[in-house]
Amino acid sequence: MATSDNFLKTPSKTPMNDKVSSSARKHNHQTTFSSSSSSTKSRFDAYNRLQSAAVAFGEKLPIPEIVALGGQSDGKSSLLEALLGFRFNVREVEMGTRRPLILQMVHDPTALDPRCRFQEENSEEYGSPIVLASAIADTIKSRTEALLKKTQTAVSPKPIVMRAEYAHCPNLTIIDTPGFVLKAKKGEPETTPEEILSMVKSLASPPHRILVFLQQSSVEWCSSLWLDAIRDIDPTFRRTLIVVSKFDNRLKEFTDKWEVDRYLSASGYLGDNIHPFFVALPKERTTVSNEEFRRQISQVDADVIRHLQQNVKGGYDEEKYKSHIGFGCLRDYLESELQKRYKEATPATLALLEQRCSEVTAQLTSMDSKIQATSDVAHLRRSSMMFASSICNQVGALIDGAADPDPEQWGRTTEEEKSESGMGNWPGVISEIKPPNATLRLYGGAAFERVMHEFRCAAYSVECPPVSREKVANIILAHAGRGGGKGISEAAAEIARAAARSWLAPLLDTACERLAFVLKNLFDLAMEKNQRQHFDCDYGKKSGDMDGYVGFHAALRRSYNCFIKDLAKQCKQLVRHHLDSVTSSYSQVCYESDLLFSANSSYRNQTSVTSMSLDLSDQENIPPENNDRETTPGKLVKAAGEGKASAMTVPETPSPDQPRDGNYVVKKENGNFLEGGGGRKRHPRIQINQGNGKVLGNLLGQNGGTTTYNEICCSAAQHFARIRQVLVERSVTSALNSGFLTPCRERLMVALGVDLFGVNDEKFMDMFVAPGAIDILENERESLKKRQKILDSCLTEFKAVARSL
């Protein structure tokens, strides 16, 4: 193990290595541990009981603990057995590869034979003592297999707690973790190595835990597989001890003093203040008595020191390194360091226990009130109505804009929204739509606005689809007797209307579903936001405490989801109505003047800038806009005419030297002006001075021309673009905002109130006395009572410990 001068923020300026040197040198491996002082023993017992309570009830208490880490076969199991003072064949059950094991070693001079007891699962109680070593190994194996079978996993972070009382073990508690592996075993999931690494990092991350990292002496520091993983947890090794295991395998390589000293210093790899411990343990796995096992440990330590002194030329720097060589030095150091940390942490632990006891007492009082209130309908109505009102207020706050709870945890990117909603890409849109801020995690009003902008991007990326000659011919024939060129213009408008109804309607439905998904997600966020504010006592009195009423929470969620679902249905009908209006044959959208159309383009561009042009993400996204080909009149359109073509130009701004009346001029090849369109007229934009028969002939490919077909398609594309622009810019945006957001702010509480509280008392109470609801409350109360009892007991012990400091 390595120690550093600032290990665990030790206030003393004296390096820990120096502090432990004298005691380590005086250690006699062939004697048993001396009896601990009364205060030290009581402090150790108090922390062991507190640790057991924390494991049983899931309490997060900063108890000083030692965590053993390392790769498989690096000697963790042998180290644990050496610390215990007896073997129990731990390696045969592969304990370290499945579940963590918390070993609570209690030095008891009266326990001449080890007494081991396992803490019951989900309880602070311990089972009957186990004496046989094989029974200990079998218990570890059976408990591990039972939990993994239940959870359907290869490893589990839930620890096994074993308390060992023995006259030859120190007062020491250590957590053995699963060993790091590079590859999963046969039959295990391929992700097992990553799961083990993640679990070990989670166990080792709390700053109150001391890390003991084991690595075989045969591994060079520059080739260490797992040293970087330890650096990720503790970059400066401030709370890490490094143990070089199987040190006897390396001794034969040393011949001169400088070789030994250079290796022992780990110079250049761990830093000047990091000094590893070098440990060798008996290799023989034959069955021997516990006394013989301890004698072998002492003998190995003595052999290592003798080899360094006699078989290495010049020996080694004993003053500097002897305190870090041998298992005995390591054992004494761990025990003294843990006891020191216990003593330093006692005041803070006592204060934390007092706080937790007060909190559990308050929770128990609240739970008693809830159970009593199950027969008080008036009280439940008041509390539940206040709670529902608070949730509605939280929803409104999230819509208006909020950064709590944390968007990085609760928000979603555009891709996550699409994936979780199950709607995927926009229907009919081939190109990928990436609105501004698509990679940011948003929720509430921000996510709503992003979907709105994404809809606009998707709508403007839809082109007017190509139309077959047969369809055009059918429409033209239907208009054949209505007046020549006017029939052609109306045919183009009809094609555009049909395309808009077919292609834009699915986009509107998808927009409604996506917006509804964003609003549905607000329920969980509102619950989380309300829960956090509930810790304030004054706020808790206003909002009501409804924790534990599972039936009510389920009914509230169902009612909220139904409200959002109804809004989505109404909004679909509303935007479909706008689509029907703009695509009606009575609508003048297709015949608006170019001046009005240009104004609309300006309005759309301005809206695009103010809508969501602020892109805070890293990507470069430019929302698709109407290009000149679609939205800006002024294209050259060719028409067929009795053997020679006529050219028609529709400029955005007429030339000053041309007669004009409005926005466009129609000019023949010979220079005679045919027609000018004005803002006061509703003339069609395309006039073909041909007979219907000849027009139809040209359309069908007769007389060698296809001009009329292309002309109609071009005009239909312009009509489609105008319909799309008016729909998106004038109608849909305001309709969706008012259809979704306004009801959420103004009608949500009324809707929930009518649904949940506008019922008789008998039906209302079904939410609170439904089968299982009272049982859940009763079970939670019993659990709180047990927690209160054990925490009060721990508090009493720590008060006694504090008085002895």
Side-chain angles (χ1 to χ4, degrees):
M1 295 186 194
T3 59
S4 64
D5 293 346
N6 59 347
F7 177 74
L8 289 174
K9 298 183 179 178
T10 305
S12 173
K13 295 182 180 179
T14 305
M16 282 195 163
N17 300 326
D18 295 339
K19 292 191 294 181
V20 77
S21 297
S22 59
S23 63
R25 292 181 185 133
K26 296 177 182 179
H27 179 77
N28 183 350
H29 300 299
Q30 298 183 9
T31 62
T32 61
F33 291 89
S34 60
S35 177
S36 301
S37 66
S38 175
S39 61
T40 300
K41 182 68 164 60
S42 61
R43 185 164 53 244
F44 181 76
D45 290 342
Y47 271 106
N48 272 355
R49 280 178 53 80
L50 185 60
Q51 187 178 55
S52 300
V55 172
F57 297 113
E59 292 281 358
K60 301 298 182 181
L61 301 174
I63 304 171
E65 295 166 323
I66 297 175
V67 181
L69 313 94
Q72 283 192 348
S73 302
D74 279 347
K76 287 194 293 90
S77 300
S78 296
L79 178 64
L80 294 177
E81 290 180 334
L83 288 170
L84 284 168
F86 66 93
R87 282 176 172 162
F88 56 97
N89 298 323
V90 64
R91 286 185 292 187
E92 294 183 8
V93 298
E94 298 178 352
M95 172 195 65
T97 63
R98 301 301 179 186
R99 292 178 65 179
L101 176 68
I102 299 178
L103 283 175
Q104 297 176 338
M105 307 176 205
V106 180
H107 173 63
D108 185 354
T110 65
L112 300 181
D113 292 317
R115 295 192 300 264
C116 298
R117 294 184 297 163
F118 286 89
Q119 183 178 350
E120 301 295 339
E121 303 278 12
N122 305 315
S123 172
E124 78 281 5
E125 301 295 334
Y126 286 81
S128 301
I130 300 176
V131 178
L132 294 177
S134 58
I136 297 173
D138 291 341
T139 301
I140 294 174
K141 182 177 181 180
S142 61
R143 287 198 173 195
T144 300
E145 291 178 349
L147 180 64
L148 297 182
K149 182 178 181 180
K150 180 180 179 180
T151 58
Q152 296 294 309
T153 56
V155 293
S156 172
K158 187 174 182 180
I160 298 173
V161 181
M162 187 180 85
R163 181 182 179 92
E165 301 169 352
Y166 195 27
H168 302 282
C169 73
N171 285 318
L172 184 67
T173 297
I174 189 167
I175 303 175
D176 182 43
T177 61
F180 299 126
V181 293
L182 291 174
K183 187 178 180 180
K185 287 186 176 182
K186 185 177 180 180
E188 291 182 349
E190 293 295 328
T191 58
T192 298
E194 290 77 15
E195 292 177 8
I196 291 176
L197 181 60
S198 176
M199 180 189 9
V200 172
K201 284 186 175 182
S202 177
L203 289 169
S205 293
H208 58 272
R209 287 179 170 168
I210 305 169
L211 310 185
V212 176
F213 171 61
L214 281 81
Q215 179 172 279
Q216 295 187 48
S217 63
S218 59
V219 178
E220 301 295 339
W221 295 115
C222 59
S223 304
S224 176
L225 293 175
W226 309 115
L227 194 60
D228 288 339
I230 303 303
R231 280 197 175 98
D232 289 342
I233 303 170
D234 183 22
T236 61
F237 298 118
R238 184 176 58 189
R239 56 188 181 90
T240 300
L241 302 175
I242 297 180
V243 174
V244 178
S245 61
K246 305 179 183 180
F247 181 51
D248 51 336
N249 292 339
R250 193 70 183 253
L251 291 178
K252 58 185 178 182
E253 299 181 11
F254 303 133
T255 57
D256 293 321
K257 180 177 183 298
W258 69 269
E259 294 177 316
V260 178
D261 291 346
R262 184 179 64 176
Y263 178 78
L264 296 179
S265 68
S267 177
Y269 296 101
L270 301 179
D272 295 337
N273 295 326
I274 309 299
H275 303 295
F277 277 81
F278 300 87
V279 175
L281 293 171
K283 291 184 172 61
E284 295 294 333
R285 297 301 298 180
T286 56
T287 302
V288 295
S289 66
N290 294 337
E291 183 178 358
E292 175 62 19
F293 176 58
R294 293 191 300 274
R295 191 200 65 78
Q296 290 177 358
I297 294 175
S298 299
Q299 185 62 47
V300 171
D301 276 358
D303 291 343
V304 168
I305 295 296
R306 185 169 54 254
H307 180 91
L308 292 174
Q309 292 174 338
Q310 299 177 4
N311 297 342
V312 176
K313 186 177 180 180
Y316 70 105
D317 191 341
E318 295 189 29
E319 182 67 25
K320 187 173 183 180
Y321 299 116
K322 189 173 183 180
S323 62
H324 289 77
I325 297 177
F327 169 77
C329 294
L330 171 63
R331 176 180 53 191
D332 286 352
Y333 180 79
L334 287 176
E335 183 179 18
S336 63
E337 183 60 28
L338 187 62
Q339 290 296 336
K340 181 177 70 69
R341 297 309 300 167
Y342 280 166
K343 184 176 181 180
E344 292 174 352
T346 296
T349 304
L350 177 61
L352 183 61
L353 271 174
E354 291 176 338
Q355 177 186 343
R356 287 298 298 129
C357 287
S358 298
E359 292 173 353
V360 171
T361 300
Q363 292 174 355
L364 187 59
T365 301
S366 175
M367 187 60 61
D368 289 336
S369 299
K370 288 179 185 179
I371 295 176
Q372 293 175 3
T374 54
S375 58
D376 187 348
V377 179
H379 173 78
L380 285 177
R381 280 187 179 273
R382 286 193 304 270
S383 298
S384 56
M385 289 183 70
M386 287 190 294
F387 185 86
S389 177
S390 177
I391 295 299
C392 292
N393 291 336
Q394 300 294 359
V395 170
L398 291 167
I399 289 176
D400 291 338
D404 180 50
D406 185 6
E408 292 185 7
Q409 177 183 358
W410 294 87
R412 291 174 173 83
T413 65
T414 294
E415 287 301 318
E416 288 171 344
E417 280 183 7
K418 292 164 63 176
S419 176
E420 293 180 26
S421 63
M423 280 168 273
N425 296 327
W426 294 86
V429 178
I430 300 177
S431 59
E432 186 178 4
I433 303 299
K434 287 189 176 180
N437 305 310
T439 59
L440 297 184
R441 296 185 178 277
L442 305 179
Y443 58 64
F448 189 95
E449 179 61 23
R450 183 174 63 186
V451 174
M452 292 290 294
H453 197 75
E454 186 181 355
F455 161 72
R456 296 178 68 255
C457 294
Y460 281 120
S461 67
V462 174
E463 308 283 349
C464 183
V467 186
S468 66
R469 294 179 180 274
E470 286 75 11
K471 290 184 179 180
V472 173
N474 275 276
I475 296 174
I476 285 293
L477 285 173
H479 292 274
R482 302 182 187 179
K486 183 177 181 181
I488 294 176
S489 180
E490 290 181 349
E494 181 60 31
I495 292 172
R497 294 188 190 104
R501 285 190 293 267
S502 175
W503 289 84
L504 297 182
L507 292 181
L508 296 175
D509 289 346
T510 301
C512 291
E513 292 292 339
R514 286 281 303 279
L515 293 173
F517 177 78
V518 169
L519 294 179
K520 282 183 179 179
N521 290 336
L522 293 188
F523 184 84
D524 288 328
L525 273 77
M527 292 287 288
E528 175 69 17
K529 193 175 178 69
N530 191 70
Q531 180 67 25
R532 293 184 181 185
Q533 293 185 3
H534 180 67
F535 284 110
D536 179 38
C537 295
D538 293 335
Y539 184 86
K541 293 178 182 178
K542 293 179 181 179
S543 64
D545 182 8
M546 303 304 294
D547 291 345
Y549 293 122
V550 179
F552 170 73
H553 284 293
L556 181 62
R557 181 186 294 271
R558 175 192 55 78
S559 183
Y560 177 83
N561 288 340
C562 288
F563 177 78
I564 299 300
K565 184 177 181 180
D566 289 342
L567 287 185
K569 182 178 180 181
Q570 295 169 11
C571 285
K572 284 183 181 180
Q573 295 174 347
L574 181 61
V575 293
R576 280 298 187 97
H577 170 73
H578 287 296
L579 178 62
D580 292 341
S581 298
V582 79
T583 57
S584 170
S585 58
Y586 297 98
S587 173
Q588 298 299 316
V589 171
C590 289
Y591 306 108
E592 288 178 346
S593 67
D594 294 341
L595 179 62
L596 181 59
F597 185 64
S598 299
N600 289 340
S601 298
S602 299
Y603 168 76
R604 174 182 57 76
N605 293 333
Q606 182 180 3
T607 305
S608 299
V609 172
T610 59
S611 173
M612 199 175 176
S613 60
L614 177 61
D615 188 354
L616 304 177
S617 61
D618 295 332
Q619 61 184 356
E620 295 183 1
N621 292 315
I622 302 178
E625 301 288 351
N626 273 358
N627 53 37
D628 292 339
R629 184 176 59 81
E630 288 188 1
T631 62
T632 305
K635 303 299 179 183
L636 181 63
V637 181
K638 295 183 180 180
E642 295 185 358
K644 58 182 179 180
S646 298
M648 180 173 63
T649 305
V650 189
E652 290 182 286
T653 305
S655 175
D657 58 352
Q658 293 178 340
R660 61 186 182 275
D661 181 15
N663 294 316
Y664 63 87
V665 178
V666 179
K667 183 179 179 181
K668 288 187 177 180
E669 285 185 341
N670 59 11
N672 295 326
F673 296 99
L674 298 179
E675 181 181 358
R680 297 183 300 272
K681 298 182 180 180
R682 291 296 180 180
H683 295 300
R685 298 179 63 250
I686 303 175
Q687 292 285 352
I688 307 298
N689 295 326
Q690 306 294 336
N692 289 334
K694 293 183 177 181
V695 169
L696 180 60
N698 287 339
L699 176 68
L700 298 178
Q702 299 174 7
N703 299 328
T706 60
T707 308
T708 305
Y709 170 73
N710 293 334
E711 181 180 302
I712 292 175
C713 291
C714 180
S715 180
Q718 292 178 346
H719 291 329
F720 179 87
R722 184 176 289 112
I723 291 172
R724 178 185 58 192
Q725 180 187 356
V726 171
L727 183 70
V728 172
E729 303 299 346
R730 295 185 186 178
S731 306
V732 173
T733 302
S734 60
L736 291 178
N737 276 284
S738 61
F740 276 110
L741 301 185
T742 301
C744 284
R745 291 190 181 98
E746 299 178 358
R747 299 198 336 251
L748 177 58
M749 183 57 206
V750 175
L752 297 183
V754 171
D755 190 21
L756 297 176
F757 311 118
V759 295
N760 57 41
D761 289 346
E762 182 179 358
K763 188 173 181 180
F764 173 78
M765 290 300 292
D766 286 343
M767 292 184 291
F768 300 92
V769 295
I774 300 300
D775 292 339
I776 291 175
L777 295 178
E778 291 284 358
N779 291 337
E780 187 173 350
R781 180 172 63 177
E782 289 302 315
S783 177
L784 285 173
K785 283 185 175 181
K786 290 182 180 179
R787 183 174 300 190
Q788 182 189 46
K789 180 179 179 181
I790 190 66
L791 289 178
D792 283 341
S793 175
C794 290
L795 178 60
T796 301
E797 285 189 74
F798 271 89
K799 285 181 178 180
V801 169
R803 285 193 294 268
S804 67
L805 292 178

